Amino acid sequence: MTEPKPYSPGLEGVIAAETSLSFLDTEKEEIVIRGYDLLELIRSKGYGDVVGLLLEGELPMPERLQAIEREMTQAEIPTAVYDILRLLPASMHAMDRLRTAVSALAGFDPEANSTDPNSERRRGPKVIGQIAQIVANLHHIAVGEKPEKFDPRYTLAENFLRVLVRRSVSPAEVRAFEQSLIAYSEHELPNSTFAARVVASTLSDLYGALTAAVASLKGPLHGGANEAVMYMLLEAQTPAGLEALIRRKLAQKERIMGFGHRVYMRKMDPRAQLLKEVLRSLVEASGKGHEYVEMCQLGEDLMRTEKGLYPNLDYYAAPVYYLLGIPIELYTPIFFAARSVGLIAHVIEQHAENRLYRPRVSYKGPRGKKI
Ligand code: SDX
């Protein structure tokens, strides 16, 4: 048995997996995705390209890309999954309803319990498409509307946005939304990805690992932050209002959602910088939402001077989704849907070369007590 390593609260700084999927190079301020710069992928590729890259190891050739988009957009949702969602109280948090739906998908996949990496890789695009379609319909089902199917004539990103907002969408809106999906797609070993790998390491199945990841991502310290950022901006209403709100929260030692990051610490999340550009281009294209650009810049400047903290991607994803007309309760489910490709890729890696996660403890309790 190896000697226990020193305790690091929250596993801060601990290398907990080997991977060829992604790496956060904080020195070079680059997010590496299978050798590519994530910002370059966001600027010049589509979400289907990133699905091919993460699941199959290389950027897909045109005919493979078309096939991946089709596998995602033709994915059927078992009616029983929508029936189960209809039985849940509409007051239930969207992430809790999503968690239930992801778990239920296992019942309709004949290979659900296969931990063969080739089976998981082959099924990946379909599962990604199912999760996106379920998220796109979550709010509609909660308000009693019929779910809408994806149309294989469009890409996953365009289907996802069209069904989310139930209106025709402009190319500029689709591109902004697709760039957010790529920004969220994969990010090394965040809490939810680690949760998925921990579950997969017992040789439990893909759906169990994804369900654990949904539960983790809901937390406001993690994926839940994008929803919280939007509520904060709406409460503030104006730049002056945001300054007062942030100062009040800081005085009460509260966390400001959308700021800080365990890995980036006192640096800007590179994705936040790009989503800030996406917000600006969306505002220019639509001619509305300038107030959010101004408000977010003030918040960013204030947090930098007051706390030396910088925005993470959730801070700018929130106003982008708000200007697209997406219900706020769906911001974190969208994050999960976008990240499903990274999660599945990590589960495949874990099952391909597994070692059961079983850390030790630093025991602080009593010893030698007699009954
Ligand atoms: C995501 O891991 C990933 O990659 C995640 C993610 C991904 O793509 O999967 O990037 C997505 O989860 C982004 C993070 C979204 N969460 C939020 O925006 C919630 C607000 N952020 C914080 O709660 C916090 O910054 C964390 C949780 C993100 C990181 O926290 P750490 O690393 O545990 O840092 P810490 O709590 O030790 O804080 C260090 C100091 C403390 O001050 P002191 O007590 O030392 O004086 O910084 C302060 C904290 O109080 N601080 C904040 C703050 N974040 C840290 N103060 C005010 N507001 C904040 N947001």
Side-chain angles (χ1 to χ4, degrees):
M1 187 190 80
T2 50
E3 267 307 298
K5 306 286 185 296
Y7 171 50
S8 171
L11 296 185
E12 183 153 9
V14 170
I15 305 280
E18 279 190 340
T19 180
S20 57
L21 296 172
S22 64
F23 171 59
L24 309 187
D25 185 339
T26 48
E27 294 305 309
K28 294 202 187 107
E29 300 196 5
E30 182 182 346
I31 301 168
V32 182
I33 307 288
R34 284 210 193 270
Y36 293 93
D37 177 350
L38 176 62
L39 299 194
E40 284 316 298
L41 292 171
I42 296 171
R43 288 194 181 98
S44 59
K45 289 294 177 185
Y47 186 70
D49 290 301
V50 173
V51 171
L53 176 63
L54 282 167
L55 294 187
E56 300 170 6
E58 271 309 333
L59 285 169
M61 301 302 280
E63 60 280 1
R64 179 61 193 140
L65 174 59
Q66 260 190 359
I68 289 170
E69 287 286 357
R70 250 196 334 273
E71 288 167 40
M72 294 193 289
T73 53
Q74 285 177 335
E76 294 282 333
I77 310 300
T79 44
V81 171
Y82 282 144
D83 292 344
I84 290 166
L85 284 172
R86 282 191 197 90
L87 291 172
L88 299 176
S91 59
M92 204 169 166
H93 193 286
M95 284 296 276
D96 298 340
R97 286 185 269 128
L98 177 59
R99 190 186 62 214
T100 304
V102 169
S103 183
L105 281 174
F108 306 92
D109 174 353
E111 297 180 71
N113 287 314
S114 167
T115 56
D116 168 23
N118 294 319
S119 161
E120 291 168 332
R121 184 174 301 109
R122 177 170 35 77
R123 288 181 285 137
K126 177 184 173 187
V127 176
I128 293 164
Q130 285 179 314
I131 291 171
Q133 197 169 152
I134 288 167
V135 169
N137 282 294
L138 266 185
H139 184 74
H140 304 308
I141 290 168
V143 296
E145 290 168 9
K146 227 165 103 37
E148 197 174 320
K149 285 169 67 75
F150 280 1
D151 179 340
R153 286 175 300 169
Y154 306 112
T155 62
L156 178 88
E158 183 160 358
N159 269 292
F160 200 168
L161 183 59
R162 289 162 65 95
V163 175
L164 271 170
V165 297
R166 292 235 164 148
R167 60 174 171 79
S168 62
V169 288
S170 71
E173 289 178 312
V174 173
R175 188 59 192 143
F177 184 67
E178 181 163 48
Q179 289 183 306
S180 81
L181 297 181
I182 300 171
Y184 272 124
S185 62
E186 165 60 13
H187 201 238
E188 203 192 73
L189 204 58
N191 186 287
S192 46
T193 304
F194 183 51
R197 289 195 78 133
V198 165
V199 169
S201 77
T202 68
L203 298 187
S204 184
D205 65 288
L206 176 63
Y207 295 94
L210 289 171
T211 303
V214 183
S216 156
L217 195 72
K218 173 192 174 183
L221 292 187
H222 190 9
N226 57 15
E227 172 185 330
V229 166
M230 200 59 230
Y231 288 126
M232 175 177 74
L233 295 177
L234 292 175
E235 183 186 341
Q237 290 186 351
T238 63
L242 184 61
E243 174 165 5
L245 185 61
I246 288 179
R247 288 191 186 284
R248 192 170 65 246
K249 283 176 176 285
L250 289 179
Q252 290 157 2
K253 296 276 178 238
E254 280 179 43
R255 298 299 174 90
I256 311 299
M257 295 293 114
F259 286 92
H261 194 279
R262 171 64 62 79
V263 176
Y264 297 123
M265 304 294 274
R266 308 255 172 210
K267 285 186 178 175
M268 183 99 167
D269 178 340
R271 302 165 300 173
Q273 189 53 46
L274 201 123
L275 278 178
K276 186 174 175 180
E277 293 164 21
V278 171
L279 174 65
R280 284 225 173 93
S281 58
L282 194 59
V283 167
E284 270 145 42
S286 62
K288 61 183 172 51
H290 293 89
E291 65 278 20
Y292 291 108
V293 174
E294 199 191 331
M295 216 189 314
C296 288
Q297 187 60 57
L298 177 130
E300 185 180 327
D301 297 342
L302 182 63
M303 284 298 284
R304 190 177 52 251
T305 47
E306 292 298 314
K307 293 288 286 185
L309 286 169
Y310 292 80
N312 52 58
L313 83 167
D314 292 320
Y315 184 67
Y316 282 105
V320 168
Y321 289 165
Y322 190 74
L323 291 177
L324 289 172
I326 295 170
I328 297 175
E329 68 162 352
L330 294 183
Y331 291 9
T332 310
I334 291 168
F335 180 165
F336 180 78
R339 181 61 56 84
S340 62
V341 59
L343 291 164
I344 294 168
H346 277 276
V347 168
I348 290 170
E349 259 197 353
Q350 190 67 39
H351 282 155
E353 194 175 338
N354 187 44
R355 179 108 176 102
L356 174 72
Y357 277 105
R358 203 292 184 198
R360 296 298 311 278
V361 295
S362 162
Y363 178 66
K364 298 198 299 183
R367 296 293 304 269
K369 298 183 82 168
K370 300 288 178 243
I371 304 285

